[in-house]
Amino acid sequence: KMAGSSAPWIGSAYLFLQSTCKTIVLPSLYESSQKKPSVFKALKLALADSTGSVNGVDMLKVHCSHPHLIVQLKFCKQENCRRFLQSYREGALQESLQSHLQLSLAMTRVPLEMELKAGNEHLDNMLKDEDRCLECIYREKPDRLRDEEITELEECLKSLIVHQSINNNIAVKGCTSLNSPSLPCPSQGSSLSPQVTFIFQGQQFANRTLTPDDHQKFAKLVSKKWKQVGRSLQKNCRALRDPVIDNLALEYDREGLYEQAYQLLLRFIQSEGKKATIARLIAALEENGLISLAEELLGLHSNEDCS
């Protein structure tokens, strides 16, 4: 009813954020050139968690209006908006954002209060009526293109991740971190850094952070065993604890096995950061008898035809 068959479903809402801790002022943190990328990263990851996709919801602008940080959101699919509303209603978005802010800003805890508005409507008052919330969001068409600053922060975040991946590939002993890219390396090996090499089938391989190429190959080739691999990774990855894997299976059932496997590994990579290494994935594949896929990821099939 809300959208014609040809017109895409597009809507907009404003997310109001305020810290309930007097010593943490979110607008001030966002206005600080040093802290802004960390706050942005936390917002981006929490919103991705809420929809199950990095592109599930778009940030158009972040306004600093003391004591609130106000994020203008744009939704391009009704199902993404539904997932967001469910996550918001159940408190999962709030929990995720608190957790990501805590990690990004290296703080003990960042308690938050949230409000959601679309136009003059306070959606918090009607969260139980999801269809009404969707109608309010759909009525509010985005009144702007994405802010240039948001685009720059997106690029900055991407380049940091790529920079980190390159560092892990070439200088495996390097300790570049997303939060402090210029951190000097300790002369002794850091206990926080992942193992430098690992053994597979009697050969030694350099350990490295998973790349987009690894991500795509895994999703393409793992097929029905993606859940078993997820349960192996789950042992030391809190983001994949039990309901998550089953929820991914339900959420992406229509999209098929590739998308289910892709979203599983996306959760692992987002939550583990530079600790999402090829060694951990290979160990999970070995545990489930997926030796051919492990060989493919390590380039051992590069001279053969792979079916």
Side-chain angles (χ1 to χ4, degrees):
K1 282 181 187 177
M2 283 186 276
S5 54
S6 58
W9 195 99
I10 292 174
S12 179
Y14 286 89
L15 182 63
F16 287 71
L17 305 168
Q18 181 182 354
S19 167
T20 53
C21 172
K22 287 180 182 176
T23 56
I24 300 170
V25 184
L26 288 176
S28 300
L29 288 170
Y30 195 80
E31 284 165 342
S32 151
S33 56
Q34 276 186 311
K35 301 285 186 187
K36 181 177 286 189
S38 298
V39 177
F40 178 80
K41 178 186 160 195
L43 287 168
K44 183 82 181 163
L45 293 177
L47 288 169
D49 288 346
S50 75
T51 58
S53 164
V54 177
N55 303 314
V57 53
D58 200 13
M59 279 189 272
L60 296 182
K61 185 171 176 63
V62 178
H63 306 262
C64 292
S65 176
H66 289 260
H68 291 103
L69 197 64
I70 307 169
V71 187
Q72 186 175 5
L73 303 172
K74 175 186 173 185
F75 298 92
C76 290
K77 284 186 180 176
Q78 189 177 324
E79 57 266 35
N80 287 338
C81 193
R82 273 193 195 279
R83 284 187 198 126
F84 170 85
L85 284 168
Q86 186 182 351
S87 176
Y88 182 85
R89 185 175 65 240
E90 292 171 356
L93 175 63
Q94 183 174 5
E95 198 177 305
S96 173
L97 185 52
Q98 284 178 172
S99 164
H100 284 303
L101 283 168
Q102 187 176 334
L103 286 168
S104 288
L105 296 164
M107 290 180 168
T108 50
R109 195 160 179 275
V110 184
L112 292 175
E113 276 183 359
M114 291 184 163
E115 270 185 279
L116 191 62
K117 295 180 185 176
N120 296 322
E121 300 285 356
H122 287 251
L123 301 186
D124 299 74
N125 301 330
M126 57 177 91
L127 287 173
K128 287 181 181 174
D129 189 346
E130 195 173 273
D131 287 337
R132 192 173 159 211
C133 288
L134 283 166
E135 280 175 27
C136 292
I137 291 170
Y138 178 69
R139 270 203 310 268
E140 293 300 315
K141 298 302 178 205
D143 59 356
R144 60 161 62 244
L145 294 171
R146 185 200 275 191
D147 207 58
E148 277 181 28
E149 182 184 63
I150 298 287
T151 305
E152 284 167 21
L153 285 162
E154 290 260 6
E155 291 306 314
C156 174
L157 189 57
K158 280 180 197 164
S159 69
L160 277 173
I161 292 165
V162 170
H163 177 60
Q164 182 183 25
S165 175
I166 290 166
N167 269 283
N168 284 343
N169 270 323
I170 297 168
V172 183
K173 289 176 187 170
C175 56
T176 304
S177 120
L178 248 140
N179 294 335
S180 44
S182 57
L183 198 71
C185 255
S187 52
Q188 300 299 316
S190 164
S191 61
L192 292 172
S193 59
Q195 70 212 76
V196 175
T197 59
F198 65 101
I199 305 291
F200 175 74
Q201 293 187 338
Q203 289 186 57
Q204 200 168 32
F205 292 89
N207 198 9
R208 54 178 173 76
T209 304
L210 292 169
T211 65
D213 190 43
D214 297 329
H215 197 165
Q216 286 181 338
K217 279 184 183 171
F218 170 82
K220 187 178 169 188
L221 301 171
V222 71
S223 192
K224 290 178 183 174
K225 283 201 170 180
W226 70 269
K227 270 189 173 184
Q228 286 99 305
V229 175
R231 296 213 160 90
S232 295
L233 291 171
Q234 177 190 74
K235 291 169 193 171
N236 50 13
C237 174
R238 286 182 62 207
L240 295 179
R241 59 185 172 223
D242 255 318
V244 173
I245 294 170
D246 291 330
N247 288 347
L248 287 174
L250 288 168
E251 271 181 37
Y252 297 95
D253 183 46
R254 272 195 278 182
E255 285 90 335
L257 292 170
Y258 176 95
E259 192 61 24
Q260 288 169 329
Y262 188 90
Q263 293 295 332
L264 172 87
L265 206 57
L266 180 66
R267 293 288 169 95
F268 178 66
I269 290 165
Q270 284 178 342
S271 72
E272 296 297 297
K274 66 177 179 179
K275 290 186 202 160
T277 61
I278 189 74
R280 288 173 72 182
L281 183 56
I282 295 297
L285 294 173
E286 270 191 286
E287 193 174 310
N288 292 284
L290 293 163
I291 303 303
S292 179
L293 175 48
E295 290 172 346
E296 176 71 24
L297 291 175
L298 293 171
L300 298 178
H301 287 173
S302 51
N303 300 322
E304 303 169 22
D305 271 347
C306 301
S307 57

